Amino acid sequence: MISFMFLLLLAPDVLFSLTHVAMISPQDPIMRIGSSLTATCTLGAELGLHATSLYWTLNGARLSSSTYSIVSSNILSIELHSLNGSNQKSGDNLMCHRADGRILAGSCLYVGMPPDKPVNLTCWSHNAKDLSCRWRVGGQGETHIPTKYTLKYKLRWHERENECENYSSEKQGYSCRISAKIALFTPYEIWVEATNQLGAAISDVSSLDVLDVVTTDPPANVQVSRIGSLEDQLMVRWTSPTELKDVLFQAKYQIRYRLEDSTDWKAVDNVGNLTSCRLAGLRPRTVYFVQVRSNPVGIFGSRKPGIWSGWSHPAAASTPSGELLQRGSCDPKASEQNSTLRRELKQFFGWVRKHATGCSSMSIKLYDQWRVWLQKSHKTRNQ
């Protein structure tokens, strides 16, 4: 009857005095997809109408009279077979009308399926301060009727269950953030329960330690700068995430960079736990955009692979003008396999014997001085 009263608000031409003198039965039924339904519209005697003057609509579309049956002078029935899933969560509107189109009574049909087992439950902790989980609905996903998903969790050796409260819908499923105080060093058991008026289903239980699923904010203060007049290299520096300084961990980092007019990123995966990296083999006179992300591995000795943070905001710098001399990366082993680098190292040692005096050490600074000298030599020969 609540559904019918709502429909009356949407149809001001309905006589409110008729609210209790006509009724559809069953009222607001809940059925599985493919079910059949026989409904009746019963008129009050005071209406002075005959059942033969009535007609039915479903979601505003008039139903064929071949599905009607005259039960008595004041009762008109209809048979609906192989019902499809409801078009809207609020149900499909089945209406009984008098000949002039006015609504006499209404009922909402909820046609759907019980939920399937939720799948792909994954969880992560942001800076070890909270715990968020994401999952997808099981099977084909759509139940066509209101379905409630509840994320439940408990500490492994405790009986008390807790429910997550901060839900959000995503394009491919649902997520919930547990903002209550998070326990460390104690495994959690987490699962999702899906329920509607046709049934229930429970996901697999996920067991995890918060410190095994930590992710951080992206590295901060990412800066990209030139290395003197070296036209094929840039230096990238950044600051470690500060949120986990109270937790023992060893971060590893990854860099990606691209040309200003390109959407293709190149990755440098071998940065390790450094907070700076020299990019080599770049184009002269070119603007590069650079991003960095972090992975807090090894928290309190955890052997889990860790979860990458998002990428930092892009930082940009341009290489000086000049001639492209070499290709390289942050990985010295990979660079040593490059024949060009081996040839240049041989030239470098010859230059050191001639130009380095006293106790000069084999340092990056000395290498940079040689690169500048080599570039000037190239330019002098070209002129």
Side-chain angles (χ1 to χ4, degrees):
M1 189 58 66
I2 293 176
S3 301
F4 180 48
M5 293 298 295
F6 174 75
L7 291 168
L8 293 178
L9 295 177
L10 298 180
D13 60 331
V14 175
L15 296 177
F16 287 90
S17 61
L18 303 181
T19 302
H20 299 288
V21 293
M23 178 177 293
I24 289 180
S25 179
Q27 188 66 211
D28 302 344
I30 301 170
M31 301 165 289
R32 285 179 177 251
I33 292 174
S35 297
S36 296
L37 172 70
T38 299
T40 59
C41 179
T42 303
L43 303 173
E46 59 269 39
L47 285 175
L49 298 175
H50 194 279
T52 55
S53 66
L54 309 181
Y55 69 90
W56 294 89
T57 63
L58 182 62
N59 293 331
R62 189 162 180 162
L63 298 172
S64 173
S65 59
S66 63
T67 59
Y68 303 174
S69 294
I70 305 297
V71 179
S72 66
S73 61
N74 68 325
I75 299 176
L76 178 68
S77 71
I78 187 170
E79 292 187 5
L80 302 174
H81 300 285
S82 301
L83 291 169
N84 295 320
S86 297
N87 293 324
Q88 49 196 10
K89 291 293 192 296
S90 58
D92 293 331
N93 299 317
L94 180 65
M95 304 291 183
C96 176
H97 300 256
R98 58 191 295 169
D100 60 7
R102 284 183 287 179
I103 299 171
L104 292 172
S107 176
C108 284
L109 311 184
Y110 297 93
V111 186
M113 295 294 292
D116 287 299
K117 171 182 173 182
V119 296
N120 296 347
L121 175 62
T122 57
C123 302
W124 66 96
S125 175
H126 187 69
N127 301 326
K129 303 299 183 183
D130 60 12
L131 186 62
S132 298
C133 296
R134 176 186 296 121
W135 65 93
R136 297 183 62 179
V137 297
Q140 298 183 0
E142 182 57 66
T143 62
H144 297 277
I145 60 175
T147 300
K148 180 181 179 181
Y149 293 90
T150 306
L151 180 72
K152 294 188 176 183
Y153 64 97
K154 69 172 185 174
L155 296 175
R156 180 175 296 174
W157 296 291
H158 293 246
E159 293 298 324
R160 180 184 175 186
E161 296 179 359
N162 300 280
E163 293 186 5
C164 185
E165 298 179 353
N166 303 310
Y167 292 90
S168 60
S169 297
E170 299 184 350
K171 187 175 182 179
Q172 303 262 333
Y174 298 86
S175 66
C176 192
R177 176 176 172 269
I178 300 171
S179 56
K181 185 177 181 180
I182 298 300
L184 304 180
F185 309 108
T186 304
Y188 277 90
E189 293 182 350
I190 304 176
W191 65 96
V192 178
E193 295 182 0
T195 57
N196 63 27
Q197 291 180 290
L198 291 176
I202 301 176
S203 72
D204 293 333
V205 177
S206 176
S207 297
L208 60 88
D209 190 311
V210 171
L211 293 177
D212 289 337
V213 293
V214 172
T215 185
T216 68
D217 290 328
N221 302 321
V222 178
Q223 300 178 3
V224 186
S225 59
R226 295 180 177 181
I227 305 175
S229 60
L230 298 177
E231 72 280 357
D232 67 331
Q233 298 186 28
L234 291 172
M235 178 61 74
V236 185
R237 294 183 175 86
W238 60 90
T239 302
S240 298
T242 59
E243 293 78 13
L244 290 180
K245 285 188 176 180
D246 56 340
V247 180
L248 298 177
F249 78 104
Q250 179 181 4
K252 66 178 180 179
Y253 300 94
Q254 186 181 53
I255 296 174
R256 68 177 185 178
Y257 62 96
R258 65 173 175 85
L259 300 174
E260 180 181 25
D261 57 353
S262 173
T263 58
D264 296 328
W265 293 92
K266 293 183 178 180
V268 180
D269 298 317
N270 43 23
V271 182
N273 63 350
L274 303 174
T275 55
S276 65
C277 179
R278 173 189 297 240
L279 301 179
L282 307 178
R283 296 181 184 177
R285 299 190 305 264
T286 303
V287 176
Y288 283 88
F289 286 92
V290 181
Q291 291 179 296
V292 185
R293 64 177 181 173
S294 62
N295 186 324
V297 297
I299 299 178
F300 287 109
S302 171
R303 296 182 180 180
K304 300 292 183 179
I307 300 176
W308 286 104
S309 72
W311 290 101
S312 66
H313 292 296
S318 62
T319 52
S321 61
E323 181 183 358
L324 183 63
L325 294 180
Q326 76 168 56
R327 299 183 64 184
S329 70
C330 292
D331 185 2
K333 293 182 179 180
S335 298
E336 289 170 3
Q337 296 174 1
N338 187 289
S339 60
T340 302
L341 181 57
R342 289 199 298 269
R343 182 173 64 254
E344 291 182 358
L345 285 174
K346 185 176 180 181
Q347 295 174 352
F348 168 60
F349 289 127
W351 178 85
V352 168
R353 286 193 294 269
K354 291 182 180 179
H355 296 83
T357 59
C359 298
S360 298
S361 61
M362 301 294 288
S363 65
I364 288 295
K365 183 176 181 181
L366 191 60
Y367 177 77
D368 290 344
Q369 292 174 0
W370 169 73
R371 290 299 303 274
V372 172
W373 172 84
L374 185 61
Q375 291 171 19
K376 290 179 178 179
S377 299
H378 277 234
K379 292 176 182 178
T380 301
R381 287 197 299 270
N382 291 337
Q383 293 172 353

